[in-house]
Amino acid sequence: MHALRPLAVLFQGLAALHRQSQLRQRPASVGRPVIVVGNLVVGGAGKTPTVIALIELLRRDGWRPGVVSRGYGRTNEAALVELDEHSEASDCGDEPLLIHRRTGAPVVVGRDRLAGARHLLERHPQVDVIVSDDGLQHHRLPRDVEVVVFDGRGAGNGLTLPAGPLRQPVPDSAAPHMLVVYNAAEPSTPLPGHVVRRQLAGAVALGPWWKGQQPQAVHPLSDWAGRRVLAAAGTGDPERFFRMLEEAGLTIDRLPLPDHARLTPPPWPTDTPDVFITEKDAVKLRPEAVGATRVWVVALDFALPPAFAQALRQRLPRTAHPA
């Protein structure tokens, strides 16, 4: 680790130059308030469930949100892709597709978030607030609020790449436009923030899940109490999913997969009777691909606390607030 410190300093310097270059190209506004959701640590920290919960919160307050995202892992070479009911994870990325399927919000993916935001507003002029998924380090897009997500790892060893896990240094204090969310049982850095409530919402068979029948097709996880099942997860922290299943009373065999892993063909034996997966994995797995295996999709309920909602309202431009 100590041998890598000079490279970490170099990384920080290059990142600062990149940031300044993007800031020089940044317009004052895109015409709508922008909320950027991201994390300082490499890997999944809970950005996607935060974005979904944020969209639900904004709608309760009367906003009409739209989403821009990078679309990590997609094979589609198009500069911008707008998601629809026919979108595949390979075309747009698994996380944007999950956001679109769960919320129905318009979503545009592309490497250039600023171009994505402009395209989103051209196609959906009713959108009055933009949520940028994983856009914290994309400085060309102006923003009114930054939502920084940490999980239980906190800031790790406090060092940037390659000596540590940080994409950028953790600030000594939160800027006025920054809100910190902890996807953990308690705060994992000295920054003041909001701890979310997380719980598994039950299981839905893969077929009904794809048809959007989640509310009426949910089975309580207690139905599998005392039976051994396989749990697979291609997320930033598969162990978090496994622990939550065990805390719900399930006895599981673990199948951890790389983040954004492809699931065609399914990575478990064909004679596996029951498999539990996350929604992030479900968007990459068509029901017709699983054979005789019963695949169950387990949704995560992710509740942002009232204090977060109030702090967000205080930071969004008052002139843009919906009537």
Side-chain angles (χ1 to χ4, degrees), residues 4-25:
L4 294 175
R5 283 179 181 267
L7 293 178
V9 173
L10 176 61
F11 176 86
Q12 289 183 47
L14 293 175
L17 289 174
H18 178 69
R19 178 176 182 273
Q20 291 302 319
S21 174
Q22 288 201 329
L23 287 174
R24 285 194 292 270
Q25 304 173 49

Side-chain angles (χ1 to χ4, degrees), residues 8-75:
V9 173
L10 176 61
F11 176 86
Q12 289 183 47
L14 293 175
L17 289 174
H18 178 69
R19 178 176 182 273
Q20 291 302 319
S21 174
Q22 288 201 329
L23 287 174
R24 285 194 292 270
Q25 304 173 49
R26 186 161 87 181
S29 170
V30 294
R32 305 289 193 281
V34 175
I35 305 169
V36 170
V37 179
N39 59 304
L40 303 184
V41 176
V42 173
K47 295 184 299 294
T48 301
T50 300
V51 169
I52 292 170
L54 183 59
I55 291 170
E56 294 170 350
L57 169 62
L58 289 166
R59 282 177 169 162
R60 287 196 297 271
D61 277 358
W63 295 91
R64 297 179 293 275
V67 179
V68 294
S69 181
R70 167 70 178 86
Y72 181 82
R74 67 189 178 106
T75 57

Side-chain angles (χ1 to χ4, degrees), residues 40-41 148-156 166 170-172 174 178 180-182 184 186-193:
L40 303 184
V41 176
V148 181
V149 185
F150 289 98
D151 61 12
R153 296 171 295 166
L166 294 176
V170 176
D172 294 330
M178 180 188 295
V180 177
V181 167
Y182 289 106
E186 58 186 10
S188 53
T189 82
L191 293 173

